Amino acid sequence: MSFFQRTEDFRPEGFEDVVGELVDSIRRSFTGIVVDHLEDLLATPDRHMCLVDRHVSLTENDRDYTIDLLLFHVTQMRYIAIQVQAGRFDPALVARARYTLSLVDDLVRAPEVHGPTVGVLLCTDAAADQQPGPVAITLYDDVAPAERAGLPLSLELTALIDRCLDTAGASPKAP
């Protein structure tokens, strides 16, 4: 008995679908690992940040936008939306992340009390024409330099992704 039917080009029919689903599953698992580590690193009293929620789904015009980690900075009174992309950096992701920040501002933030939402886009790999390695784009456009110091830094976030990649790629240790 076979799960796949042979086609004329000798590829099993449905094989690409199964491989695509496996790749998506691996990406979701890795994103979960990164979000776990981000939460441990950032949602701490000494950083003045607390967890609002994980995998927040915002819907506008029947389209879903997901924020992998939504934090709140208690001294700056602002939301921090973090999105993780398991894969190559694409400049179009920045525009989508900015749009998601505007959705948080429109649907979640109380403008009379909270500062504008800021965000971070993390990608596990640079674009093909860039130096290999993780990419962190901080979207802190309207934040004063003194306040930026209290927000997550690109270097610490890329280092965190490097650690996650090292952990995910490490072979199990023999007893």
Side-chain angles (χ1 to χ4, degrees):
M1 182 159 106
S2 174
F3 290 107
F4 304 107
Q5 298 294 321
R6 291 272 179 201
T7 60
E8 290 179 23
D9 63 358
F10 300 106
R11 287 191 197 153
E13 187 176 300
F15 182 74
E16 287 85 9
D17 295 336
V18 171
V19 170
E21 287 177 21
L22 286 171
V23 168
D24 288 345
S25 177
I26 291 167
R27 284 186 174 152
R28 281 190 304 274
S29 295
F30 184 74
T31 298
I33 290 168
V34 172
V35 169
D36 288 344
H37 287 283
L38 284 168
E39 183 180 341
D40 291 344
L41 175 72
L42 300 175
T44 61
D46 61 317
R47 295 197 69 147
H48 306 285
M49 290 184 237
C50 61
L51 174 68
V52 174
D53 206 353
R54 298 165 56 112
H55 309 296
V56 177
S57 182
L58 300 174
T59 304
E60 184 180 69
N61 299 329
D62 296 326
R63 189 165 178 189
D64 287 328
Y65 298 87
T66 301
I67 299 167
D68 294 303
L69 189 63
L70 185 61
L71 302 171
F72 189 76
H73 198 291
V74 295
T75 57
Q76 293 186 16
M77 296 296 290
R78 72 173 74 244
Y79 289 99
I80 302 169
I82 300 176
Q83 294 173 282
V84 179
Q85 172 71 27
R88 286 203 181 273
F89 171 75
D90 180 353
L93 294 170
V94 176
R96 184 175 171 94
R98 285 188 191 283
Y99 186 74
T100 304
L101 295 182
S102 72
L103 286 178
V104 173
D105 278 345
D106 294 345
L107 302 173
V108 180
R109 178 177 80 106
E112 60 279 355
V113 179
H114 302 140
T117 302
V118 296
V120 177
L121 170 64
L122 298 171
C123 296
T124 57
D125 199 8
D129 61 344
Q130 296 174 335
Q131 189 80 342
V135 175
I137 306 293
T138 54
L139 304 170
Y140 304 156
D141 299 339
D142 297 327
V143 179
E147 290 179 326
R148 284 182 189 220
L151 297 171
L153 303 172
S154 293
L155 286 174
E156 72 180 320
L157 297 173
T158 55
L160 178 127
I161 290 181
D162 274 335
R163 286 193 305 274
C164 291
L165 287 168
D166 289 344
T167 302
S171 57
K173 295 180 181 172

